[in-house]
Amino acid sequence: MKPEEILSHAPKVLSQEQREAYFETGYLVLENFIGDDWLDRLWAVTNRFIDDSRSHTKSGKVFDLEPNHTAEEPRLRRISQPVALDPVYEEFGLRGPIVDLAEDLVGPNVKYHHSKLNMKWSGGGEEVKWHQDIQFWPHTNYSPLTIGLYMDDVDDEMGPMGVIPGSHKGEIYDLYGDDGNWVGALSDEDLAGVERDRAVWMRGGKGSITIHNCRMLHGSMANNSPRSRPLLLHTYASADALTFPGSVVTGVPHADSLIRGEPAKWIHFDPEPCLIPPDWSKGYSSIFALQQEEAAGN
Ligand SMILES: O=C(O)CCC(=O)C(=O)O
């Protein structure tokens, strides 16, 4: 669906001005959008998972662990695919209030693609280098977007996510290195041409929401504060955006499923070509591990 068509449907929660701003700049920040009821439920399950991580010594399908993670001092980078892990995460990601936001920005027919909880642990939680998301999981159009929930107050010290307004209308960058291996971040040469002084750092109080389009240039600095920075991220797309083979992690419940409206009858193609990622069915770790050159995908 084209933005004009999406905008012609009555919004559920956003103002028309906010929707237009999203299409123009590629991002939105909504202060304190999610209330304490949801936050308490999400924290109860998250604390349980953090506790479970103590018995893990290596990153795996669920936990992406920093190299110095221990049972006594857990250090999580990410909980992968939370929607598939627990009914509370599932309800939030597939039927919760953020799905109304997705509907306002991708149209009435909404697909869920994937989810992750980036913890960015206190005292050194790793940076996420500048990148765009769509090259990790190409679709036939550029409707996909990611909605993030700050589960705690996030200030400048904690590595909030930064975006370059309007960059979703610009170049789609090559995320492979000179040696042909997937790096998952812009090269130094490409980065030198990016106006990083225009970056907007999306800080916000507990319960605030970040939204960025799949072509948005974004990244975040290390978290050197004594507080962790839990950002719960969900990606949604218009039902008429079909995924490229291999761009959905296989065997994950609910991945790439219709959660609102009707299945698409026509595929919508956007004209700009998209970079093809490696075949993730052969192995996928996370953007953190990848950018820190630990292993094989976002
Ligand atoms: O957690 C962050 O700050 C950024 C996350 C991100 O860009 C990603 O996971 O693709």
Side-chain angles (χ1 to χ4, degrees):
M1 248 185 205
K2 294 197 172 114
E4 306 80 76
E5 266 176 276
I6 296 170
L7 288 167
S8 71
H9 290 265
K12 285 261 159 66
V13 277
L14 292 172
S15 67
Q16 203 67 350
E17 236 179 354
Q18 287 171 311
R19 298 166 95 194
E20 284 166 6
Y22 165 78
F23 287 114
E24 190 50 35
T25 63
Y27 79 102
L28 278 180
V29 182
L30 305 170
E31 273 286 335
N32 307 323
F33 183 81
I34 299 295
D36 284 342
D37 285 0
W38 263 117
L39 287 162
D40 291 348
R41 292 176 69 198
L42 290 166
W43 267 118
V45 39
T46 301
N47 284 330
R48 232 180 46 232
F49 275 99
I50 294 174
D51 240 11
D52 283 358
S53 78
R54 292 175 192 274
S55 61
H56 291 245
T57 51
K58 279 201 314 228
S59 295
K61 275 201 156 69
V62 175
F63 299 116
D64 180 2
L65 306 171
E66 287 188 11
N68 50 352
H69 168 90
T70 61
E72 298 70 40
E73 269 195 63
R75 291 194 64 84
L76 275 71
R77 291 170 174 149
R78 172 181 285 180
I79 298 174
S80 300
Q81 308 286 3
V83 161
L85 296 178
D86 182 276
V88 173
Y89 287 138
E90 179 189 314
E91 188 185 336
F92 185 73
L94 304 188
R95 296 177 292 281
I98 58 172
V99 181
D100 289 337
L101 291 172
E103 183 177 332
D104 284 354
L105 298 174
V106 306
N109 306 315
V110 183
K111 276 197 309 178
Y112 161 78
H113 185 258
H114 77 280
S115 59
K116 52 209 174 192
L117 171 48
N118 285 356
M119 296 299 300
K120 202 176 276 214
W121 214 258
S122 56
E126 285 156 6
E127 70 171 333
V128 177
K129 295 177 186 167
W130 291 95
H131 68 284
Q132 293 155 311
D133 292 333
I134 194 67
Q135 299 93 321
F136 285 80
W137 25 260
H139 285 61
T140 57
N141 63 55
Y142 295 105
S143 64
L145 52 75
T146 297
I147 301 183
L149 164 66
Y150 282 139
M151 290 174 56
D152 240 327
D153 295 340
V154 172
D155 59 29
D156 281 339
E157 238 195 340
M158 297 162 72
M161 193 157 54
V163 291
I164 315 268
S167 58
H168 68 306
K169 294 184 176 173
E171 183 172 345
I172 297 177
Y173 290 91
D174 187 347
L175 305 184
Y176 287 93
D178 288 341
D179 59 1
N181 286 322
W182 184 259
V183 178
L186 265 63
S187 66
D188 290 345
E189 200 183 346
D190 282 337
L191 201 55
V194 170
E195 298 172 301
R196 273 172 294 161
D197 53 339
R198 289 203 306 110
V200 172
W201 298 98
M202 302 196 285
R203 55 189 85 82
K206 183 173 175 175
S208 297
I209 290 285
T210 67
I211 306 179
H212 67 277
N213 176 263
C214 62
R215 290 177 64 164
M216 171 61 77
L217 268 173
H218 63 288
S220 61
M221 289 185 238
N223 177 11
N224 291 317
S225 81
R227 301 167 302 280
S228 292
R229 192 228 55 176
L231 176 59
L232 179 59
L233 295 154
H234 296 82
T235 297
Y236 304 94
S238 298
D240 63 10
L242 265 59
T243 50
F244 176 80
S247 70
V248 182
V249 183
T250 44
V252 178
H254 310 296
D256 201 34
S257 64
L258 187 77
I259 54 167
R260 283 252 172 115
E262 306 288 329
K265 186 169 169 199
W266 298 85
I267 305 170
H268 180 98
F269 287 99
D270 273 333
E272 300 93 328
C274 186
L275 187 75
I276 300 174
D279 182 350
W280 300 128
S281 67
K282 296 195 172 133
Y284 187 87
S285 52
S286 82
I287 196 167
F288 295 99
L290 222 153
Q291 292 187 344
Q292 306 296 329
E293 296 179 0
E294 277 171 32
N298 156 298

